Amino acid sequence: MSTDVPTDDDRPVLDVAGLEVHYGRGRRRRRALHGASLTVHSGETVGVIGETGSGKSTFARAVLGLVRSSGGRIRIAGEEVSGYSHQQWRALRRRGVVQYVFQDPLRSLDPDLSVGESLIEPLLIQGVPRQEAIARGRAYLARVRLDEELFALLPGELSGGQRQRVAVARALVAEPALIILDEPVSALDSANRVGVLEILKELRDAGVALIFISHDLGSVAGVADRIAVLYQGELVEVGDARAIINTPRHPYTRLLVGSAPTLRSAATRAEREALRALLHA
Ligand SMILES: Nc1ncnc2c1ncn2[C@@H]1O[C@H](COP(=O)(O)OP(=O)(O)O)[C@@H](O)[C@H]1O
Ligand SMILES: [Mg+2]
């Protein structure tokens, strides 16, 4: 049920079809994803929503080759990667074509590397000269609205919101075809959540392809062009964000839209207003 949006480059940055993932062996074998199909074009932001355990992180991990798929296919920037070996996946990740931002920024960032070192590492791997890498790293700090002074600090010296912005900046520096953000705002307080959502919206407007995963429709609603709804391992509905919110078709989507807690009971007035502004921008 994908509604493909035509773009300048018609080749999708991500093309997933009929993806199956199982965990465990023998009697313990459980299906975590069933027949998941999703395309993401360059410049597009796709939200993936669903409750805890619906398979969101599994989808992200499969697309990064961190968990093996048992069926279906994955194409990244036109490259057929489904049959890749561990080594090939690792090489693909090192090339930085797809970047991943976790819910907990401490997992995305090496605690022993300064912010600056974390930012320039992907560039050095790509062979960018050190001085140029530093200049680009600083520019990306500004892009996520962080002060240059943070360059020399360790992740442990930053607030949760600052760390998550550094993780986003680190994902950006290598100029990947696609960034997958798995619950990027779920661990943040409301002020930082709004700040990171604004940055994601700026990235979307600048044409960076994003997959924004969240259990919270309210967080995704203002940022995503399209929304994919995962329910018990199946993508039950994929469509234009407004259509999903205004005329949800699947009963589970209706339930999600009807109860979207962030829209109704956003903790602070500022957050409510920011969410409303994002939704109506
Ligand atoms: N490493 C794993 N081993 C076994 N089962 C797992 C593993 N990771 C996730 N699962 C199971 O797969 C299902 C989907 O999990 P997950 O993708 O983490 O969902 P979500 O991110 O939507 O919360 C859940 O039932 C979960 O318990
Ligand atoms: Mg998850």
Side-chain angles (χ1 to χ4, degrees):
M1 266 211 275
S2 92
T3 47
D4 289 295
V5 180
T7 54
D8 317 344
D9 180 3
D10 227 24
R11 191 179 68 179
V13 289
L14 180 70
D15 184 4
V16 172
L19 192 66
E20 305 275 329
V21 175
H22 291 81
Y23 289 112
R25 286 167 197 278
R27 282 176 47 220
R28 293 230 169 138
R29 190 170 149 95
R30 296 276 181 281
R31 192 170 71 189
L33 266 188
H34 178 51
S37 299
L38 185 71
T39 55
V40 180
H41 286 89
S42 63
E44 211 188 5
T45 293
V46 176
V48 176
I49 59 166
E51 62 200 3
T52 301
S54 58
K56 304 182 299 296
S57 295
T58 299
F59 181 81
R61 288 199 290 264
V63 168
L64 287 145
L66 298 172
V67 61
R68 227 163 225 300
S69 52
S70 40
R73 69 165 164 73
I74 305 168
R75 267 191 210 135
I76 294 172
E79 196 172 330
E80 180 75 54
V81 297
S82 336
Y84 270 14
S85 65
H86 279 300
Q87 286 79 1
Q88 286 174 303
W89 272 112
R90 196 175 307 141
L92 184 78
R93 286 194 298 271
R94 272 180 83 88
R95 286 202 337 254
V97 180
V98 182
Q99 292 286 341
Y100 195 15
V101 175
F102 294 92
Q103 170 172 350
D104 175 4
L106 285 179
R107 280 184 66 199
S108 311
L109 299 173
D110 184 332
D112 298 325
L113 290 186
S114 73
V115 167
E117 286 164 331
S118 264
L119 286 177
I120 67 171
E121 192 190 37
L123 294 171
L124 297 179
I125 289 172
Q126 287 183 349
V128 175
R130 193 173 179 86
Q131 284 313 312
E132 189 191 328
I134 290 171
R136 269 164 71 178
R138 285 185 192 278
Y140 277 100
L141 261 194
R143 190 144 174 210
V144 296
R145 301 183 189 161
L146 287 177
D147 199 286
E148 275 200 20
E149 282 173 19
L150 298 188
F151 213 73
L153 300 186
L154 291 170
E157 297 175 286
L158 308 181
S159 74
Q162 287 173 326
R163 268 181 224 140
Q164 195 59 302
R165 287 177 206 210
V166 172
V168 171
R170 185 178 197 275
L172 277 170
V173 282
E175 296 180 355
L178 176 68
I179 303 179
I180 302 178
L181 303 113
D182 192 356
E183 305 270 10
V185 298
S186 303
L188 304 181
D189 61 32
S190 61
N192 276 308
R193 201 179 308 153
V194 170
V196 171
L197 288 176
E198 279 169 2
I199 289 163
L200 296 184
K201 192 160 167 277
E202 283 173 14
L203 297 180
R204 179 201 67 187
D205 294 344
V208 180
L210 305 173
I211 292 182
F212 178 3
I213 295 172
S214 179
H215 65 277
D216 173 30
L217 175 63
S219 299
V220 166
V223 182
D225 302 304
R226 284 193 297 137
I227 292 178
V229 182
L230 249 184
Y231 180 60
Q232 296 184 348
E234 295 188 41
L235 279 171
V236 294
E237 189 163 359
V238 183
D240 178 80
R242 268 159 221 268
I244 293 277
I245 290 159
N246 296 326
T247 51
R249 290 188 193 167
H250 191 274
Y252 177 67
T253 316
R254 280 195 210 122
L255 194 72
L256 272 181
V257 171
S259 64
T262 315
L263 295 180
R264 285 244 197 91
S265 59
T268 66
R269 201 187 137 135
E271 190 184 22
R272 260 197 315 274
E273 280 169 6
L275 277 167
R276 211 169 283 137
L278 285 171
L279 274 173
H280 297 118

